[in-house]
Amino acid sequence: MPFKKKKRFNVRLWRASPSTLDLAQWRALTGALSLSERSKAFSFRFEADRQAYVLAHGLRRFALAFMLDVSPQSLVFRDDENGRPQLIKPNHSPIYFSHSHTRESVLFAASSDGAVGVDTERVVAESADIKLLQPHWVMPELGEAEAASFYNYWTALEAFWKADGAGLSSAHPRLRMSPHPRGHWDVACDVPHWPDLTALDTHAVIFPVTSSPGCVASLAIIHPHASDATDFVIHEKELKKDADLMGLFFKTTSAKRSDLYA
């Protein structure tokens, strides 16, 4: 049997924590936002929520600007009918992206190979109720000692529906996850041939990914080829340790210094 070369699916995944940034970097992030994004940021009552929003949307701009070799301020977004943000300027070949944030953690994922979704949540033991998952997942039997897995399932659920683009809804059929020997989870629909579920007309997989301490996170990938025929390569980086992104960050900070400190 002739050897078939596997398809390669690349995802860039950046993570950051609000607690690691200094004042100049917060000003640079805020300066990169659009007027509507700044207005939204300053509408939050609590500083922690404001910082998480600014970091999430600023990181989205800096990461995409690095990938597309443009300035962060030049990017223009518009939400589609389901509320998923779309990049409309600059005109470019399709690029798929997703971000998620808590007060402690921000994640941004992007790929030009197919749809991606990412979700992170802070682990709160009191909120881990497996019954909340049952309308959405075909669940295995979980004992009390395994209740912490709630957040693994929940972030996987949120990430999948972000990648699909439809958003989480009780109207959707339940999903099944089956472990794959290569470390990810294959996703299947509990109702075969569901007409509105375009994601599973192709293939979908879930990866657990690193988040800030006290948080868990999942990355969903929707792709046209079976898992066994695809090499998934996830390039995980931290904002503070990514020399390329920080180079753009500080270049922007320097270029906009008069505006940021006005």
Side-chain angles (χ1 to χ4, degrees):
M1 180 180 293
F3 174 78
K4 288 187 176 181
K5 186 177 180 180
K6 290 186 176 182
K7 303 290 183 180
R8 187 179 175 97
F9 194 112
N10 289 286
V11 181
R12 294 178 182 265
L13 179 68
W14 284 276
R15 61 180 179 271
S17 173
S19 64
T20 65
L21 301 184
D22 60 33
L23 180 59
Q25 292 164 344
W26 281 117
R27 285 173 169 165
L29 286 166
T30 304
L33 301 182
S34 67
L35 289 176
S36 62
E37 288 169 332
R38 292 187 207 182
S39 177
K40 174 67 174 178
F42 286 101
S43 71
F44 287 100
R45 178 181 178 185
F46 297 105
E47 181 66 17
D49 297 322
R50 182 180 305 117
Q51 288 184 344
Y53 178 92
V54 169
L55 180 53
H57 289 78
L59 178 59
R60 180 177 73 177
R61 285 183 172 274
F62 277 101
L64 288 174
F66 168 71
M67 294 177 67
L68 301 175
D69 194 24
V70 298
S71 71
Q73 293 87 348
S74 69
L75 302 175
V76 178
F77 301 93
R78 181 175 59 202
D79 289 347
D80 66 14
E81 63 274 12
N82 292 317
R84 181 168 62 171
Q86 304 287 313
L87 180 65
I88 59 172
K89 289 184 180 180
N91 293 326
H92 193 271
S93 56
I95 185 166
Y96 306 89
F97 58 90
S98 174
H99 74 266
S100 179
H101 67 272
T102 68
R103 288 182 173 185
E104 300 81 13
S105 179
V106 170
L107 291 177
F108 176 79
S111 177
S112 58
D113 294 328
V116 295
V118 70
D119 189 64
T120 183
E121 300 286 345
R122 184 168 72 92
V123 175
V124 181
E126 296 80 6
S127 302
D129 184 354
I130 296 297
K131 293 179 181 178
L132 295 174
L133 295 168
Q134 291 173 349
H136 308 287
W137 285 114
V138 178
M139 298 293 298
E141 291 296 327
L142 297 176
E144 290 298 324
E146 298 174 286
S149 63
F150 169 85
Y151 285 98
N152 293 322
Y153 278 97
W154 189 264
T155 57
L157 181 70
E158 292 275 11
F160 172 83
W161 289 111
K162 285 182 180 181
D164 176 79
L168 180 61
S169 169
S170 59
H172 296 320
R174 294 196 301 171
L175 303 175
R176 294 178 181 269
M177 282 202 306
S178 57
H180 192 280
R182 294 170 62 194
H184 60 262
W185 295 79
D186 287 319
V187 181
C189 181
D190 194 39
V191 179
H193 311 300
W194 184 260
D196 297 324
L197 194 55
T198 56
L200 295 179
D201 289 340
T202 51
H203 300 275
V205 297
I206 303 286
F207 284 87
V209 292
T210 303
S211 191
S212 297
C215 300
V216 298
S218 294
L219 170 70
I221 296 171
I222 295 174
H223 58 104
H225 306 287
S227 296
D228 290 337
T230 306
D231 273 332
F232 299 102
V233 183
I234 303 173
H235 308 271
E236 293 191 58
K237 295 186 177 183
E238 289 186 43
L239 173 62
K240 293 284 284 188
K241 297 179 181 178
D242 186 340
D244 292 328
L245 201 60
M246 290 303 287
L248 174 63
F249 193 106
F250 285 114
K251 179 181 178 181
T252 303
T253 303
S254 175
K256 297 293 182 180
R257 187 173 301 275
S258 59
D259 295 335
L260 298 173
Y261 287 88

